[in-house]
Amino acid sequence: MGIFTRFHDIISSNLNAMLDKAEDPEKMIRMMIREMEETLVELKANCAATMAECMRIRRERDAATAATDKWQQRAELAMGRGREDLAREALLEKHREQERADALGRELAGCESLVAQAQEDLTVLEGKLASTKEKQGLLVQRRTHAVTRKQARMDVHRAGGYDAVRRFEELEQRVERMEAEADVAGVAMRAGSLESRFSDLEGAGRVEEELAALRARMGGGNTGR
């Protein structure tokens, strides 16, 4: 593929559409940047070569123009000295140099047009390259942000799941403690109630025994008082 064909393909390409269709946009944009940079180098080399060619043509045109003036002066000198034959030959040389200068002038105009077009192409391609590099930076930022957001969401999801499990386990342990405390309290209450009733019975029995002993010591007859 020629350099100018590649240049026009690059300039006419729809970068956004290509990136949207690409499976790996970052790889695609790196390839495009490399292609642009290589084309830019070739365009600069071609432009420099064309400028050098223009300088050569300009020198030859200027030399032909100077020769034209020289033969005109010689023709005038010959006529002034009465040498019409030499004047005629001088004018023939003048016309040949004039034709050569005119041809070189046309060639120089075409060459300068190529240089101007090459410089315009360089400006356009440099702008396209700068824009593409900017898109590359934005694309990398978007990918970095996307990865960061994804990781953050995964972290939040994991943290949320862990907290939910931890809260459930804490609630379960709290309920189990409450149930255990209720069971212990119930046993204690039942034991305490039974112990109290037996203590009452035992206490009443001792009182009756003491009362009978007191009757016996003091004589049974006085118990009716």
Side-chain angles (χ1 to χ4, degrees):
M1 183 184 296
I3 179 175
F4 294 105
T5 301
R6 290 204 310 274
F7 168 76
H8 289 298
D9 287 345
I10 290 172
I11 297 305
S12 62
S13 63
N14 187 328
L15 179 59
N16 291 330
M18 294 176 68
L19 292 178
D20 289 340
K21 295 178 181 178
E23 294 182 3
D24 188 346
E26 286 189 59
K27 181 179 180 181
M28 169 66 75
I29 205 167
R30 284 196 302 269
M31 292 174 59
M32 293 188 68
I33 288 174
R34 183 167 61 251
E35 179 73 12
M36 288 181 191
E37 289 174 340
E38 292 174 354
T39 303
L40 188 62
V41 170
E42 292 186 51
L43 278 176
K44 287 181 177 180
N46 284 352
C47 183
T50 305
M51 291 175 69
E53 180 67 10
C54 288
M55 292 176 64
R56 182 191 66 78
I57 295 171
R58 187 179 293 108
R59 287 194 299 269
E60 292 185 7
R61 184 208 58 184
D62 292 344
T65 300
T68 299
D69 294 338
K70 181 184 72 174
W71 287 112
Q72 174 65 32
Q73 293 171 2
R74 285 181 174 179
E76 293 173 359
L77 176 62
M79 285 296 292
R81 299 291 176 88
R83 296 294 304 272
E84 186 174 337
D85 57 331
L86 289 178
R88 182 179 292 105
E89 291 181 12
L91 288 174
L92 289 173
E93 288 296 328
K94 171 195 169 184
H95 286 299
R96 280 195 288 268
E97 291 297 337
Q98 184 63 60
E99 290 175 357
R100 182 167 176 266
D102 291 343
L104 288 169
R106 290 190 295 272
E107 187 177 355
L108 179 61
C111 185
E112 289 176 340
S113 177
L114 290 176
V115 170
Q117 184 61 54
Q119 291 175 336
E120 182 180 344
D121 290 346
L122 283 171
T123 300
V124 172
L125 183 55
E126 287 172 346
K128 186 84 170 183
L129 178 58
S131 175
T132 304
K133 287 183 175 180
E134 182 180 358
K135 289 182 184 297
Q136 181 187 34
L138 294 174
L139 188 64
V140 171
Q141 290 180 8
R142 286 172 57 191
R143 186 181 70 83
T144 301
H145 292 164
V147 171
T148 301
R149 287 198 304 270
K150 180 179 178 181
Q151 185 61 45
R153 289 176 179 175
M154 291 176 64
D155 291 343
V156 169
H157 179 72
R158 285 197 298 268
Y162 173 78
D163 288 343
V165 171
R166 180 175 54 79
R167 288 195 298 270
F168 179 80
E169 290 176 348
E170 289 176 352
L171 179 60
E172 187 177 28
Q173 291 173 1
R174 190 181 309 164
V175 170
E176 289 176 351
R177 280 198 307 272
M178 292 174 65
E179 290 175 344
E181 289 171 358
D183 292 340
V184 171
V187 171
M189 289 177 64
R190 289 194 300 272
S193 177
L194 185 60
E195 183 70 26
S196 176
R197 290 198 297 272
F198 275 101
S199 295
D200 291 342
L201 289 176
E202 292 172 353
R206 285 195 297 272
V207 169
E208 292 298 330
E209 290 175 355
E210 291 178 4
L211 182 59
L214 182 60
R215 288 195 197 101
R217 283 197 304 270
M218 298 182 64
N222 296 327
T223 59
R225 293 183 187 180

